[in-house]
Amino acid sequence: DILVKYADRIDDDLLRNIILDPDPNNRAAAVATLEQADALMDQGKSIDEVMSILQSTPRRKQAEGGLAGILKL
C-alpha cells in the first residue's frame, strides 16, 4: 500500500527505509507526515512552506495513561 501510493513521489531509499522499519509506530509516523505534506500541498502551499510547517509542528508525546500508567512503564 505504501509502496504503491508513494513510489513516484519520494526517494527509493527513503521509501525502502519506511517499509523495512521494524517499528510499526515509526512507519505510522512517517506515513502520517507524508499524508500531512500531501494535504498541505493540495492547499496550495509551496515546498518551503510545507517544510517550515512540518518542522515547527510539535509531535505529541505518547500516552501515559491506561496500561502504561498502571504498570508504571
Side-chain angles (χ1 to χ4, degrees):
D1 182 44
I2 297 170
L3 182 61
V4 172
K5 188 171 183 180
Y6 296 106
D8 61 337
R9 295 182 174 189
I10 63 173
D11 182 61
D12 290 339
D13 290 334
L14 177 59
L15 187 60
R16 187 177 311 111
N17 286 341
I18 292 170
I19 292 170
L20 296 177
D21 193 323
D23 186 353
N25 291 327
N26 288 344
R27 280 194 304 266
V31 170
T33 301
L34 290 171
E35 289 176 358
Q36 184 179 9
D38 277 346
L40 290 168
M41 292 186 74
D42 288 343
Q43 294 175 3
K45 305 281 187 201
S46 70
I47 298 289
D48 291 333
E49 289 173 312
V50 170
M51 291 301 296
S52 175
I53 291 168
L54 291 177
Q55 289 172 350
S56 66
T57 303
R59 298 291 173 206
R60 285 190 233 158
K61 201 172 183 184
Q62 295 294 324
E64 295 177 3
L67 187 57
I70 294 169
L71 298 176
K72 306 288 184 204
L73 297 175

